[in-house]
Amino acid sequence: QNDEAKAVVFSVPSYACQRRTTLDNHNTILTDALSLLAEKAELSEEDGRGVAFRRAAAVLKCLPQPVTNMMQLRGLPCLGEHSFRVIKDILENGTSSEVESTQQSERYKALKVLTGIFGVGAKTADRWIRAGIHNLRQLQTSGQTLNQAQRAGLQHYDDLNLPVTKAEADAIGEIVEEAVVSVLPDAQITLIGGFRRGKLTGHDVDLLITHPDEGKEVGLMPKVVSWLQSKGFLLYQKTTINSYLESEEGPRRPSSNMDRFERCFSIFKLQKKVEAAQPETQAENGIQHHKSGCRLWRAVRVDLVVSPISQFAFALLGWTGSKLFERELRRWAGHEKAMSLGSHALYDNRQSRYLRATSEEEIFAHLGLEYIPPSERNA
Ligand code: 8DG
Ligand code: MN
Ligand code: MN
């Protein structure tokens, strides 16, 4: 057939960690649709279905050109019947009826608004919806009790749903660096998460802290948090202390996704860069107002993690993402290599021992994978 002869056929390995996925996505119309269906599944706690759509979207993200013909999908991995149907719908009609009806559904809209509150997951949102709560106004007048995270999330709702820019991430990085170095000189901080993969915006700022001397990093997080708090940089924080070293049995096989680092989930108060053209004015009541009437700061979600240097490479790899890339790395390790990969260590089940690594390159080598740099982990 003529169509078939013209169609470019792609060849793609089946694990996302075997592929190079840059931010240069040639199939955003298709991947946005599949990602929305993945999100709908995740919000409905259908995780298996969610992963299936994420995997399908990831395959299309790494293709070198736009898909124009269903024939081009022959031989591609991870595309199930459902994903095929969605793609076909878009190629033939320019839009997917399932995506359209999802976007118009009251339940989906409510789930999006409510889980857009920091500290609110799918379970809580579902409970509220069943209580007739579909928006923020209804939540505020409902008398539902909110925990501290959710109260902060509601208070800073607009700011936290505004993308964080790279410039803002760098500004936060400098503040955290000042805090860290003032309580522990020679400590090192690294920007991780989406910004390390080259994204220009993100939903938060992720930072990894370590120290070249093993053990020096113990107890660092509470000190950093106190410093930040004393300078008024924190609108909210929740710190969890490392239980990995403290566990009585000593280091064990890392359980897939569990994290035992010192961590801090926080909301920063970030001073905005004031444009020279808009000088501050002094109002009669003595309160400083900005000429334009807008606030001089914004709230930003920040995740801090502290790792001992011996686990740094694993933490770096585990926190750089993307989430699907991480999931696929662990699946590859388990299914193809009989190894357990976590953000602390890599365990070889056949040799019954941990495999050491001081760089991400070494971890990929242990796993028998070609090295994929952060900018190509955007699966
Ligand atoms: P974004 O913020 O721009 O939306 O994207 P991102 O930076 O890729 O996403 P993220 O939600 O900030 O997550 C960054 C990485 O951190 C991602 O690979 C997943 C990983 N991560 C968590 N929570 C945990 C956790 O509890 N343990 C471990 N090991 N990793 C985690 O988000
Ligand atoms: Mn992030
Ligand atoms: Mn994060």
Side-chain angles (χ1 to χ4, degrees):
Q1 180 158 357
N2 200 24
D3 269 357
E4 196 173 344
K6 274 191 288 185
V8 187
V9 178
F10 307 111
S11 158
V12 171
S14 63
Y15 287 85
C17 55
Q18 298 173 288
R19 311 191 292 252
R20 297 177 183 276
T21 313
T22 65
L23 290 167
D24 189 17
N25 178 353
H26 302 281
N27 287 283
T28 49
I29 295 174
L30 299 176
T31 60
D32 285 352
L34 294 169
S35 300
L36 182 136
L37 297 177
E39 189 183 27
K40 177 175 83 159
E42 288 157 2
L43 290 174
S44 312
E45 297 185 83
E46 296 172 358
D47 289 348
R49 182 185 281 258
V51 174
F53 282 127
R54 296 271 174 219
R55 284 206 190 111
V59 165
L60 302 183
K61 279 184 198 173
C62 81
L63 299 182
Q65 45 182 279
V67 172
T68 52
N69 182 319
M70 289 304 283
M71 290 297 189
Q72 295 173 290
L73 303 179
R74 281 197 315 181
L76 288 184
C78 309
L79 294 177
E81 191 202 328
H82 198 154
S83 295
F84 261 108
R85 205 187 324 136
V86 175
I87 296 167
K88 187 160 183 280
D89 211 6
I90 295 173
L91 292 184
E92 286 174 359
N93 310 313
T95 159
S96 149
S97 53
E98 188 179 1
V99 168
E100 300 254 290
S101 67
T102 300
Q103 283 173 318
Q104 280 154 28
S105 120
E106 291 305 318
R107 180 176 163 79
Y108 175 77
K109 284 192 269 186
L111 281 168
K112 281 285 282 179
V113 169
L114 297 176
T115 58
I117 304 170
F118 169 64
V120 178
K123 273 202 178 66
T124 304
D126 178 64
R127 184 160 46 77
W128 288 345
I129 291 169
R130 282 189 281 109
I133 298 163
H134 287 77
N135 56 47
L136 301 185
R137 191 183 43 76
Q138 289 170 343
L139 177 62
Q140 273 160 326
T141 56
S142 69
Q144 291 280 340
T145 35
L146 306 185
N147 64 31
Q148 208 197 332
Q150 294 162 347
R151 285 202 302 274
L154 196 53
Q155 215 168 351
H156 304 293
Y157 187 87
D158 290 338
D159 274 358
L160 298 186
N161 282 287
L162 210 64
V164 180
T165 65
K166 178 64 164 58
E168 288 169 331
D170 289 335
I172 299 271
E174 278 170 32
I175 294 166
V176 173
E177 170 135 48
E178 196 187 341
V180 166
V181 168
S182 79
V183 299
L184 182 66
D186 302 329
Q188 295 161 3
I189 96 161
T190 310
L191 188 60
I192 48 175
F195 288 113
R196 182 160 181 255
R197 303 196 306 275
K199 283 180 64 181
L200 297 176
T201 61
H203 97 284
D204 68 356
V205 181
D206 307 286
L207 293 163
L208 176 60
I209 304 163
T210 192
H211 190 282
D213 301 332
E214 184 87 2
K216 281 266 173 60
E217 81 293 341
V218 174
L220 179 57
M221 189 69 86
K223 291 178 196 158
V224 170
V225 169
S226 296
W227 190 97
L228 291 167
Q229 229 149 14
S230 72
K231 306 265 173 184
F233 283 119
L234 295 181
L235 296 164
Y236 167 87
Q237 66 85 20
K238 184 173 189 237
T239 304
T240 55
I241 304 300
N242 190 338
S243 61
Y244 193 70
L245 294 169
E246 289 166 4
S247 76
E248 286 168 24
E249 307 94 302
R252 277 167 299 160
R253 237 186 81 194
S255 64
S256 64
N257 205 6
M258 268 298 287
D259 212 300
R260 301 185 196 78
F261 292 119
E262 290 187 2
R263 295 182 50 173
C264 179
F265 301 99
S266 70
I267 301 175
F268 262 61
K269 180 174 181 173
L270 180 65
Q271 232 51 55
K272 286 185 184 172
K273 291 263 184 298
V274 180
E275 296 104 89
Q278 298 191 328
E280 286 170 23
T281 54
Q282 197 78 24
E284 316 89 86
N285 58 12
I287 297 168
Q288 283 201 331
H289 288 288
H290 202 245
K291 207 175 192 175
S292 61
C294 70
R295 279 185 296 111
L296 296 171
W297 58 271
R298 66 159 291 188
V300 179
R301 271 274 298 114
V302 179
D303 285 338
L304 304 177
V305 194
V306 174
S307 155
I309 191 77
S310 62
Q311 299 174 5
F312 180 76
F314 296 100
L316 188 60
L317 179 58
W319 283 83
T320 295
S322 70
K323 285 208 174 82
L324 184 78
F325 192 91
E326 302 294 340
R327 177 183 269 277
E328 294 278 278
L329 271 177
R330 293 193 299 270
R331 189 166 69 97
W332 168 273
H335 291 195
E336 305 295 330
K337 299 286 159 181
M339 293 179 186
S340 311
L341 175 66
S343 303
H344 296 275
L346 177 62
Y347 187 80
D348 185 325
N349 294 302
R350 286 192 271 248
Q351 298 185 62
S352 301
R353 69 180 184 97
Y354 287 95
L355 304 178
R356 310 223 144 262
T358 55
S359 67
E360 290 180 316
E361 284 86 344
E362 278 180 78
I363 304 173
F364 279 87
H366 282 318
L367 291 168
L369 288 168
E370 205 177 307
Y371 177 68
I372 309 286
S375 62
E376 295 176 340
R377 296 181 203 159
N378 287 291

